[in-house]
């Protein structure tokens, strides 16, 4: 875990290339975890993982004070790519996708990579562009576990060490 106030700078290519591994590691942790990737232009993608449930989000114009974070064309691209429209009244102020199970790792990692590179245009020179990545636990909310699923059995120290090694290798 980097902590909420201690992001790590990594290249966009490294972040997106390692995203499936990061999401899989987050699924093994018994805590509810958040990963936020802030791009240099202040747009972001973020993830909420609780057990086998993952929510991926992309910035929207809802919480932007001045100007817009996304153009109408980018919003249309997000819709075409399967992202759900922000709904602030329902507590969903960002573009979002959510999935259950291990296939969510690949599906949402690919969707986030597409949104980051093609739609948010963070991929023109991915080795040169940086992303500030932070990962941290949050208070658990109630998500019903699917029948037959078991909780992870790793110790918290072992899980934290895996995250630290994973993120340090991303530079």
């Amino acid at each position: 875990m980097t902590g909420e106030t201690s992001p790590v700078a990594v290249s966009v290519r490294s972040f997106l290339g390692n995203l499936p591994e990061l999401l899989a590691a987050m699924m093994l942790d018994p805590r509810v975890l958040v990963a936020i990737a802030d791009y240099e232009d202040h747009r972001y993608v973020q993830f909420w993982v609780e057990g086998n449930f993952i929510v991926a989000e992309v910035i929207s114009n809802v919480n932007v004070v001045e100007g817009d974070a996304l153009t109408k064309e980018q919003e249309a691209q997000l819709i075409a790519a399967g992202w759900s429209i922000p709904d602030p009244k329902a507590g969903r102020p960002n573009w979002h996708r959510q999935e259950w199970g291990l296939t969510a790792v690949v599906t949402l990692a690919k969707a986030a990579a597409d949104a980051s590179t093609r739609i948010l245009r963070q991929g023109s020179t991915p080795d040169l562009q940086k992303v500030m990545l932070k990962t941290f636990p949050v208070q658990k909310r109630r998500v019903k576990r699917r029948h037959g699923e078991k909780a992870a059995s790793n110790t918290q120290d072992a899980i934290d060490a895996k995250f630290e090694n994973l993120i340090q290798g991303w530079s």
Side-chain angles (χ1 to χ4, degrees), residues 106-123:
V106 174
T107 303
L108 293 179
K110 284 182 179 179
D114 175 59
S116 296
T117 57
R118 183 177 62 87
I119 299 170
L120 298 181
R121 298 186 181 109
Q122 300 297 324

Side-chain angles (χ1 to χ4, degrees), residues 30-67:
R31 299 174 292 182
V32 178
L33 300 176
V34 171
I36 301 174
D38 288 311
Y39 294 110
E40 290 177 321
D41 63 3
H42 305 290
R43 293 185 287 176
Y44 59 84
V45 296
Q46 60 189 17
F47 305 89
W48 169 288
V49 180
E50 183 173 351
N52 284 335
F53 180 65
I54 302 176
V55 176
E57 295 184 331
V58 174
I59 192 172
S60 75
N61 293 332
V62 171
N63 293 323
V64 178
V65 178
E66 292 184 26

Side-chain angles (χ1 to χ4, degrees), residues 13-165:
R13 176 173 284 164
S14 178
F15 164 64
L16 295 175
N18 287 292
L19 185 56
E21 186 178 0
L22 175 65
L23 294 176
M26 290 172 72
M27 288 178 85
L28 295 175
D29 195 303
R31 299 174 292 182
V32 178
L33 300 176
V34 171
I36 301 174
D38 288 311
Y39 294 110
E40 290 177 321
D41 63 3
H42 305 290
R43 293 185 287 176
Y44 59 84
V45 296
Q46 60 189 17
F47 305 89
W48 169 288
V49 180
E50 183 173 351
N52 284 335
F53 180 65
I54 302 176
V55 176
E57 295 184 331
V58 174
I59 192 172
S60 75
N61 293 332
V62 171
N63 293 323
V64 178
V65 178
E66 292 184 26
D68 288 328
L70 302 172
T71 65
K72 294 291 182 199
E73 178 186 12
Q74 288 169 316
E75 291 178 331
Q77 289 172 328
L78 286 166
I79 291 170
W83 291 85
S84 296
I85 296 170
D87 185 358
K89 291 180 182 175
R92 296 270 186 208
N94 292 312
W95 292 88
H96 57 280
R97 293 177 68 142
Q98 60 188 43
E99 302 223 9
W100 285 93
L102 290 175
T103 58
V105 169
V106 174
T107 303
L108 293 179
K110 284 182 179 179
D114 175 59
S116 296
T117 57
R118 183 177 62 87
I119 299 170
L120 298 181
R121 298 186 181 109
Q122 300 297 324
S124 59
T125 54
D127 284 330
L128 302 176
Q129 290 179 312
K130 293 289 182 191
V131 60
M132 297 303 291
L133 176 67
K134 54 188 169 185
T135 55
F136 52 93
V138 294
Q139 182 149 5
K140 187 172 182 115
R141 62 179 195 166
R142 299 178 77 86
V143 172
K144 189 174 181 180
R145 203 179 279 276
R146 288 186 174 188
H147 180 72
E149 289 182 355
K150 294 181 181 177
S153 61
N154 295 322
T155 67
Q156 198 59 61
D157 289 340
I159 291 168
D160 287 343
K162 287 179 187 177
F163 271 107
E164 184 176 337
N165 290 336

